[in-house]
Amino acid sequence: MNNELLQHTLAASRQLVTLDDATINRILIDTASALLTRQAEVLAANVEDLSRMDPANPKYDRLKLTEERLAGIAGDMKNVASLPSPLGKLLSETTRPNGMVIRKMTVPFGVIGVIFESRPDALVQIASLCIKSGNCIILKGGSEAKHTNRALFDVIYDACIKAGLPEHFAVLIEDRAEIGELLKCHDYVDLLIPRGSNQFVQYIMENSKIPVMGHADGICHVYVDGAASIEKAIPIIIDSKTQ
């Protein structure tokens, strides 16, 4: 990782937090429109990624973008803009015996690094939520979606800068080797969110001083309503427990 670039991203996080929610919402809406305006280059990049993958691979359909899917992704970004701001919420208030009032408020983390799987919609979702919550972002997607992620990132970055976000508010990592360097950047990154196998998440947690929002193996439950078709429910239960 380029420390100078991360210094710029950290500085951008101090600017981003000064923008009001109306400005953030406008930026998200303008960016969603840009995804549709520049859909040809995004879809062309996606075709390039798909050409390197066997159509029989279960990841193929997850990676594939169409005009309809891209429209849905842009719609999701607009939906994030319509959500109430998560910032500035008073969570608790305590008055100390000496009269000092202590308030717990919701504020941005600052710079968030997210390592995610090969789903193009994930990049847009992560960017949308980080921008909405006033955070700068460092993104590392799966190599299978390398060209698609680059195209989506370029559209989002260009549109956000044009709409008023500070330069360097977002960084895209494309080399897997840079993950190891990212883990050492505790002076510039405030939170890491790895999405992947439990083994991968544990590796991230054990090899970085940066706080990690990780996860362990979950407990998955299937609820079957009394009015449900047992014939349909049994194959679903078996499939969900044997994958």
Side-chain angles (χ1 to χ4, degrees):
M1 289 295 297
N2 185 323
N3 282 355
E4 183 178 353
L5 177 58
L6 291 184
Q7 287 175 6
H8 290 314
T9 303
L10 182 61
S13 71
R14 306 295 187 254
Q15 297 175 262
L16 182 55
V17 72
T18 65
L19 300 180
D20 59 42
D21 193 47
T23 300
I24 290 294
N25 293 340
R26 175 183 55 79
I27 289 171
L28 287 172
I29 291 171
D30 289 351
T31 303
S33 297
L35 286 171
L36 300 181
T37 301
R38 295 173 60 179
Q39 68 176 358
E41 63 187 88
V42 174
L43 295 177
N46 185 244
V47 168
E48 188 171 358
D49 285 327
L50 291 173
S51 69
R52 298 181 293 117
M53 182 180 291
D54 183 353
N57 189 320
K59 293 182 180 180
Y60 186 89
D61 184 66
R62 183 168 40 173
L63 174 60
K64 185 177 182 180
L65 278 181
T66 63
E67 290 186 6
E68 292 74 20
R69 288 185 176 183
L70 193 56
I73 291 171
D76 289 340
M77 179 172 270
K78 290 182 178 180
N79 289 338
V80 171
S82 70
L83 297 173
S85 174
L87 303 177
K89 306 297 183 184
L90 179 62
L91 302 179
S92 65
E93 182 176 306
T94 304
T95 302
R96 305 295 297 169
N98 64 358
M100 179 184 291
V101 178
I102 301 174
R103 296 186 178 92
K104 182 188 289 185
M105 307 284 293
T106 56
V107 298
F109 284 99
V111 179
I112 299 178
V114 186
I115 306 168
F116 56 97
E117 66 278 15
S118 299
R119 288 195 301 112
D121 55 322
L123 185 147
V124 181
Q125 291 167 1
I126 294 164
S128 301
L129 293 172
C130 284
I131 293 168
K132 179 70 177 184
S133 57
N135 292 288
C136 288
I137 41 175
I138 300 171
L139 299 156
K140 173 63 178 78
S143 58
E144 296 90 346
K146 177 180 179 179
H147 297 94
T148 308
N149 285 335
R150 168 49 67 181
L152 287 169
F153 178 86
D154 287 346
V155 172
I156 292 172
Y157 188 86
D158 292 347
C160 284
I161 295 298
K162 182 179 180 180
L165 284 193
E167 290 188 19
H168 308 296
F169 79 92
V171 175
L172 178 65
I173 297 175
E174 296 179 284
D175 187 348
R176 184 176 180 84
E178 289 187 282
I179 294 178
E181 297 177 27
L182 173 63
L183 300 185
K184 302 174 185 176
C185 296
H186 53 273
D187 289 332
Y188 309 108
V189 181
D190 299 288
L191 179 69
L192 286 175
I193 305 177
R195 294 172 56 167
S197 68
N198 184 52
Q199 181 181 8
F200 175 69
V201 173
Q202 289 299 321
Y203 171 82
I204 298 295
M205 297 176 71
E206 293 169 3
N207 289 275
S208 182
K209 296 180 181 180
I210 303 170
V212 178
M213 185 179 292
H215 63 81
D217 295 326
I219 301 175
C220 301
H221 299 278
V222 179
Y223 170 79
V224 181
D225 188 83
S229 166
I230 298 300
E231 290 73 20
K232 292 181 180 179
I234 289 176
I236 292 173
I237 293 169
I238 293 173
D239 180 65
S240 68
K241 294 297 182 180
T242 56
Q243 286 190 17

